Amino acid sequence: MTLIVILVFLMLITLFAVSVIDRIQQRQRQRRLQQRRLRVQSEELVEIVSCLEQILPNRSITRHINDMVIELQQQMLSLEDKNPEHIEAAIRKSELHSEELLDPKSRQAIAYQQESDAQIAKTQLHLNATMHLVTQLAAKGTINEIELDAYLVELRWAYLMVSVMSYIGQGDKSMSISDRFSAQSFYRKAQQLLMESMHQDPRRMKMIKELSEMVDGARASLSRELREAAPAESSL
């Protein structure tokens, strides 16, 4: 009888130990899954930051998105229980990047033009995602309504310009090989996008006018202030 009691007791201890181990393993799996999800989100935001750096004159927007990367990395770090060094290094790198985005000396060349339809689509996808992200920042109180409105205006202009300037670039390439017919077609496509847009930026109407002159042969290219992305760095 005593032996039976001992065996039952040992069996209960074993079952309890198995249950504890199972719960520990389940928590570890959940933690790894959460870390993986955060890492994917972080990588997606890093890709958006890289895109915005190339096309947005206002780096305040880019910095806000980069700060979101840091927040995700910090969440990853809080879940790490073995080797936090690589996450800590990634956080330091992201923090340095945010500081660089505040430094006007580190500014790189800005250009809306893309080389392919796939690049145009990908860039505009990132811009759409950024509009959603800055709306989230406003909902959390990270930015105010005035900043949100200004950011959305700039992002919508960039979205339009990615297609417009890419068409114009294709037109310029056609002109460089004396294919005036193709060039006119590209310039008209760019002009049509501008005419269909409801964006209130005053550059839109001036660009429509200059594109008409380019189609007619009265102008060789857009004026410099329209061709270059305006470096309207915000202090917000």
Side-chain angles (χ1 to χ4, degrees), residues 189-200:
K189 287 180 180 179
Q191 188 181 50
Q192 185 64 31
L193 287 174
L194 289 162
M195 294 172 68
E196 291 173 352
S197 172
M198 299 299 291
H199 203 288
Q200 297 301 308

Side-chain angles (χ1 to χ4, degrees), residues 22-207:
D22 182 65
R23 286 198 297 270
I24 292 173
Q25 291 177 337
Q26 186 175 4
R27 285 197 297 269
Q28 289 175 337
R29 285 194 297 269
Q30 290 175 343
R31 185 171 64 250
R32 287 195 296 269
L33 180 62
Q34 190 173 356
Q35 277 188 316
R36 191 178 303 115
R37 183 168 58 250
L38 290 168
R39 184 170 62 253
V40 170
Q41 292 175 354
S42 174
E43 290 170 352
E44 290 173 349
L45 290 185
V46 168
E47 187 174 340
I48 290 175
V49 167
S50 178
C51 171
L52 297 180
E53 283 185 284
Q54 299 173 48
I55 63 172
L56 280 190
N58 182 358
R59 296 201 298 181
S60 293
I61 301 174
T62 309
R63 180 172 54 84
H64 278 302
I65 306 305
N66 193 68
D67 288 344
M68 294 178 75
V69 173
I70 296 172
E71 290 180 11
L72 291 173
Q73 291 172 334
Q74 289 172 338
Q75 292 178 45
M76 290 169 58
L77 181 61
S78 69
L79 294 169
E80 182 59 48
D81 60 349
K82 292 183 179 180
N83 300 303
E85 292 81 8
H86 68 289
I87 301 178
E88 291 171 345
I91 292 173
R92 287 194 296 271
K93 182 179 178 180
S94 297
E95 289 174 340
L96 285 173
H97 198 182
S98 278
E99 292 178 9
E100 289 173 358
L101 289 169
L102 291 173
D103 183 2
K105 295 179 181 178
S106 67
R107 180 185 296 278
Q108 64 184 50
I110 302 297
Y112 294 122
Q113 182 179 336
Q114 305 296 308
E115 296 301 321
S116 69
D117 289 343
Q119 289 179 345
I120 291 172
K122 188 174 184 179
T123 300
Q124 290 180 328
L125 184 67
H126 288 329
L127 288 167
N128 270 333
T130 305
M131 291 184 217
H132 180 66
L133 290 169
V134 296
T135 302
Q136 289 182 342
L137 290 174
K140 292 194 303 182
T142 305
I143 61 176
N144 59 42
E145 289 297 321
I146 295 175
E147 289 172 312
L148 174 62
D149 290 343
Y151 291 167
L152 290 177
V153 166
E154 180 167 355
L155 288 165
R156 288 170 182 144
W157 177 252
Y159 186 99
L160 175 62
M161 286 297 100
V162 165
S163 292
V164 168
M165 296 307 296
S166 296
Y167 278 135
I168 293 173
Q170 289 297 316
D172 291 344
K173 287 181 181 179
S174 296
M175 285 296 291
S176 69
I177 59 173
S178 302
D179 185 356
R180 181 170 176 75
F181 179 80
S182 294
Q184 288 176 321
S185 176
F186 283 120
Y187 294 151
R188 288 193 181 99
K189 287 180 180 179
Q191 188 181 50
Q192 185 64 31
L193 287 174
L194 289 162
M195 294 172 68
E196 291 173 352
S197 172
M198 299 299 291
H199 203 288
Q200 297 301 308
D201 194 298
R203 289 172 292 182
R204 184 174 69 89
M205 295 306 298
K206 186 173 183 181
M207 196 174 290

Side-chain angles (χ1 to χ4, degrees), residues 209-228:
K209 179 178 181 296
E210 290 193 7
L211 281 168
S212 292
E213 295 171 354
M214 290 166 66
V215 170
D216 295 338
R219 173 183 286 273
S221 64
L222 287 178
S223 55
R224 184 174 179 178
E225 64 268 23
L226 295 181
R227 182 171 292 276
E228 297 179 356

